[in-house]
Amino acid sequence: MAPATSPAEKFLVPLVLISFISSILYFTTSSYSSSSLPASPPLLLRGPSHPPSFAYFLSGHRSDSARLLRLLLALYHPRNRYLLYLSADASEKERVGLVEAVKRALPAVMTFGNVDVVGRPSAGTPIGSSGLAGTLGAAAAMLRLDPEWDWFITLSADDYPLLTQDDLIHVFSSVPRHLNFIDHTSDIGWKEQQRVQPIIVDAGIYLAGRNMHFQASEKRATPDAFKFFTGSPWVILSRQFIEYCTVGYENLPRTLLLYFTNVILSQEGYFHSVICNSDYRNTTVNNDLRYTVWDDPPKMEPHFLGSTDFNAMVESGVPFARKFKEHDAVLDLIDRRILGKWRTKVTPGAWCTGTGRWWRDPCSQWGNVNIVRPGTQAERFQKIMDRVLEDWKSGANSCQQ
């Protein structure tokens, strides 16, 4: 007789299978001859008594493959997991080219096997719910690929880090691993009329290759079965909360997913509303840890950042910033002054043991991946983290109804 399975296990299997059917992950399906198999990776220690690790979901659109590669090189560390996503408007040639570019630029990938590229993305529009479906699918896939990471981080090709992964890992080592960093508010104001009540249908959900949405002529009432929260779509979420959203031992994540299917810019409200209407409300740190510059009143998108913003970005102490234009000189400045890397090389860390020369990548050789070497930017980030954790402990800014 087959062993009994729990309701959670029965739900997990089809969800993960759906994620994998819709996403061919090139690196995990590539085959190599026995003579070219990578060497066994150094021992990677995980768990509460070891440094944390992050699951990065890096997304872009057509012609963004070079930007995603540059972002990956700036963020890479063997302890982390990375899933790269080019939207359906990108060609198959660009997607395959990204895979090959990652292999050439990152020798460590062949050993650690921690970078994947989504091979069959769904069509859709960022206005509709297809983007949310892609994020949830990516989270489910990363849980299946590597269930031991600690935080799920969403970034786009418009983003860039303001510290090294050694800095990030060092500071997050002292952070409780159940916390979620998500900018949120229930004060929806003008969004009630323009975002909450309108009904839209994302054609990419049901028509292959369509990237349009349709809006109904009538509106619906603001929910009263749950409180509507909104905020930044860029999040840092704990593995426990991601499991709750994808596996869901309660019905709340699925109920809200059905509702947010027809909400404009659903990624600006789904995770926020789920977390603040669930038992996870006390795990919310009301900060997305991003540096942005907005108009007053804010427009749909923040300003593009440039060299004149560099000092303010450094002093902010936060780990990520957006938005940047491709090839902007400020990115080279961040590479040199903060990350200590060449544009086409990996950000070096304590794990890199090769000799650093302008013609040689110090991260083409590696040693202990369980140690980090924080720098000056880690000190700035630690001060920011201490402050936001004090706010969290006071409960003053978390999921206020």
Side-chain angles (χ1 to χ4, degrees):
M1 180 180 294
T5 57
S6 68
E9 289 171 329
K10 292 179 180 178
F11 185 73
L12 174 64
V13 172
L15 177 63
V16 172
L17 286 177
I18 290 171
S19 300
F20 274 78
I21 290 171
S22 63
S23 302
I24 300 174
L25 303 173
Y26 282 103
F27 279 98
T28 54
T29 59
S30 297
S31 59
Y32 308 96
S33 66
S34 58
S35 62
S36 62
L37 287 174
S40 298
L43 181 62
L44 201 160
L45 301 175
R46 297 279 187 77
S49 59
H50 301 289
S53 59
F54 303 91
Y56 281 99
F57 179 46
L58 311 181
S59 59
H61 300 284
R62 181 176 56 191
S63 302
D64 275 342
S65 58
R67 302 178 73 191
L68 284 182
L69 176 62
R70 181 170 187 171
L71 180 60
L72 173 65
L73 293 173
L75 293 167
Y76 186 79
H77 194 285
R79 297 189 60 78
N80 299 333
R81 191 90 209 183
Y82 302 87
L83 184 59
L84 279 57
Y85 178 94
L86 282 170
S87 58
D89 60 350
S91 67
E92 184 70 9
K93 181 179 179 180
E94 183 179 4
R95 227 177 303 281
V96 173
L98 176 59
V99 173
E100 296 303 321
V102 171
K103 291 179 180 178
R104 289 192 301 269
L106 267 169
V109 166
M110 301 303 292
T111 295
F112 294 98
N114 60 340
V115 179
D116 296 281
V117 175
V118 175
R120 192 177 297 168
S122 300
T125 168
I127 298 296
S129 56
S130 52
L132 174 60
T135 300
L136 287 169
M142 296 181 90
L143 283 171
R144 179 64 181 266
L145 289 167
D146 181 355
E148 296 186 276
W149 47 263
D150 299 288
W151 280 282
F152 177 73
I153 301 179
T154 59
L155 294 172
S156 79
D158 293 328
D159 301 327
Y160 213 66
L162 298 177
L163 42 64
T164 68
Q165 289 304 286
D166 277 16
D167 292 340
L168 190 73
I169 293 170
H170 171 74
V171 173
F172 267 91
S173 293
S174 59
V175 175
R177 299 192 186 185
H178 66 288
L179 293 187
N180 297 276
F181 297 81
I182 179 168
D183 170 73
H184 62 278
T185 180
S186 62
D187 183 13
I188 55 180
W190 61 269
K191 290 185 178 181
E192 183 172 14
Q193 295 290 328
Q194 298 185 26
R195 300 277 185 84
V196 180
Q197 294 181 348
I199 303 171
I200 70 165
V201 177
D202 188 335
I205 297 296
Y206 65 97
L207 293 177
R210 294 298 181 93
N211 59 355
M212 63 183 73
H213 70 278
F214 308 98
Q215 185 163 334
S217 58
E218 296 185 3
K219 296 184 177 182
R220 59 183 174 182
T222 301
D224 60 9
F226 58 88
K227 189 75 172 180
F228 193 106
F229 284 78
T230 185
S232 169
W234 309 107
V235 295
I236 302 176
L237 302 176
S238 70
R239 178 171 51 82
Q240 296 95 319
F241 180 63
I242 288 294
E243 289 174 340
Y244 173 72
C245 290
T246 55
V247 178
Y249 55 85
E250 291 180 344
N251 213 33
L252 178 69
R254 289 183 288 274
T255 300
L256 266 62
L257 183 59
L258 292 174
Y259 171 80
F260 275 92
T261 299
N262 302 115
V263 171
I264 296 175
L265 295 171
S266 57
Q267 291 201 85
E268 295 185 6
Y270 175 72
F271 290 119
H272 318 68
S273 298
V274 171
I275 202 167
C276 286
N277 286 277
S278 70
D279 291 339
Y280 285 87
R281 65 178 61 90
N282 294 327
T283 70
T284 56
V285 179
N286 199 353
N287 197 309
D288 64 0
L289 301 179
R290 268 73 168 179
Y291 181 87
T292 52
V293 177
W294 294 88
D295 287 314
D296 186 19
K299 297 180 180 179
M300 285 287 291
E301 295 287 346
H303 286 293
F304 282 105
L305 300 171
S307 298
T308 56
D309 300 294
F310 178 77
N311 290 335
M313 285 190 286
V314 172
E315 293 300 323
S316 73
V318 295
F320 307 106
R322 70 184 318 270
K323 301 173 58 174
F324 296 97
K325 293 181 179 179
E326 186 175 9
H327 305 312
D328 195 290
V330 71
L331 296 175
D332 295 329
L333 197 58
I334 293 171
D335 282 347
R336 293 195 309 270
R337 301 268 297 274
I338 297 179
L339 303 181
K341 66 183 286 291
W342 291 97
R343 179 179 177 180
T344 58
K345 304 298 182 183
V346 181
T347 299
W351 64 277
C352 304
T353 60
T355 303
R357 295 289 188 274
W358 70 270
W359 68 89
R360 184 180 299 168
D361 183 359
C363 299
S364 60
Q365 297 177 330
W366 43 85
N368 191 342
V369 298
N370 304 302
I371 59 173
V372 295
R373 184 171 55 244
T376 303
Q377 203 65 5
E379 299 175 9
R380 293 189 176 96
F381 182 33
Q382 186 67 65
K383 293 178 181 177
I384 298 297
M385 183 62 76
D386 291 342
R387 190 193 73 208
V388 298
L389 290 182
E390 282 301 315
D391 290 342
W392 165 69
K393 290 175 182 177
S394 71
N397 296 319
S398 296
C399 294
Q400 292 299 304
Q401 301 283 345

